Amino acid sequence: NLFDSALVNLQKSIALLTATGDQNGLAEGYNNLGGLFWQNKNYKDALANYLLALDIRERLGNNEKSAATMSNIGLIYKDLSNYDKALEYYNKSLEQYRASGNQFLQSEALNLIGGVYWQSGSYAEARNVYKTVLQMRVAVGDKRYIARSHNNLALAYKSLNERDSALAEYNSALELYRELGDQMNEAAMVNNIG
């Protein structure tokens, strides 16, 4: 939480990487600097640094890293309630992950898209996307992410006033969190059920 120190060190790092011509490192530095500004809700500087990182990563042909930066840019637009731009960048990210064939990262990109739909009040679209994400995560087999998908689906159902479906999804998430021994999320699910 030492923003000023982090900023100084990242700026020094970027200066050194620029001097040495390390383009991969430079892209990482700009991406990290964007993240630092994003955490402090300085969206203008966060966006500027993410765009610099994206430009370098696209020139290098690093599709998965480009996709990750596109997701970061989408987060900024979502935080600013510019849902169209958020969806634009999340969909670009999804395209890159599809090209790489990484189903886990595809599910992450889709999950972010579902979040935009939910946050913007398009609950039926959110539900549909979250169903797809759940199927993908079941195929990947990570119980923690499967539980998160059940929770997201429950939120969409609750927003659609489909309480029985929401309750079923919360209970599915609760069961998985119990299996994982994750008491914090187990408590959250019990609270949601209540």
Side-chain angles (χ1 to χ4, degrees):
N1 291 325
L2 301 174
F3 174 80
D4 292 336
S5 296
L7 180 60
V8 167
N9 284 300
L10 281 169
Q11 288 172 332
K12 285 180 185 177
S13 174
I14 288 170
L16 290 169
L17 291 162
T18 300
T20 62
D22 180 350
Q23 293 297 296
N24 280 314
L26 189 58
E28 192 69 25
Y30 283 129
N31 197 67
N32 290 339
L33 191 53
L36 180 66
F37 284 123
W38 176 74
Q39 283 180 320
N40 285 278
K41 300 191 184 323
N42 180 343
Y43 298 123
K44 180 182 174 189
D45 289 336
L47 183 59
N49 282 281
Y50 282 145
L51 289 170
L52 288 169
L54 180 60
D55 180 59
I56 295 168
R57 287 175 167 173
E58 286 182 330
R59 278 190 280 118
L60 294 173
N62 193 332
N63 293 341
E64 281 198 7
K65 293 273 188 174
S66 293
T69 301
M70 289 173 194
S71 290
N72 292 338
I73 294 168
L75 283 172
I76 291 172
Y77 284 118
K78 186 177 83 112
D79 285 352
L80 294 172
S81 300
N82 187 339
Y83 302 124
D84 290 338
K85 288 296 274 186
L87 286 172
E88 176 188 331
Y89 277 94
Y90 288 154
N91 278 305
K92 286 180 182 180
S93 175
L94 177 60
E95 288 173 26
Q96 295 290 335
Y97 290 138
R98 281 187 175 142
S100 74
N102 187 320
Q103 191 165 5
F104 173 76
L105 292 176
Q106 289 175 55
S107 75
E108 287 293 284
L110 276 170
N111 194 61
L112 291 170
I113 290 168
V116 171
Y117 284 134
W118 183 79
Q119 192 170 337
S120 67
S122 300
Y123 304 126
E125 288 89 347
R127 177 200 56 212
N128 295 340
V129 170
Y130 286 148
K131 282 183 179 181
T132 301
V133 172
L134 176 60
Q135 292 169 349
M136 294 174 83
R137 287 178 170 176
V138 167
V140 170
D142 188 315
K143 287 183 180 181
R144 185 165 313 282
Y145 285 91
I146 294 168
R148 289 178 184 170
S149 287
H150 283 297
N151 184 56
N152 289 342
L153 258 174
L155 288 171
Y157 281 126
K158 182 181 172 196
S159 299
L160 289 165
N161 208 25
E162 297 179 25
R163 295 176 189 269
D164 290 342
S165 296
L167 186 59
E169 295 298 335
Y170 281 136
N171 277 311
S172 294
L174 175 62
E175 183 179 320
L176 287 167
Y177 285 129
R178 281 185 175 150
E179 285 178 27
L180 292 166
D182 184 339
Q183 292 181 328
M184 187 147 110
N185 279 309
E186 181 183 344
M189 293 308 103
V190 170
N191 185 61
N192 290 343
I193 290 167

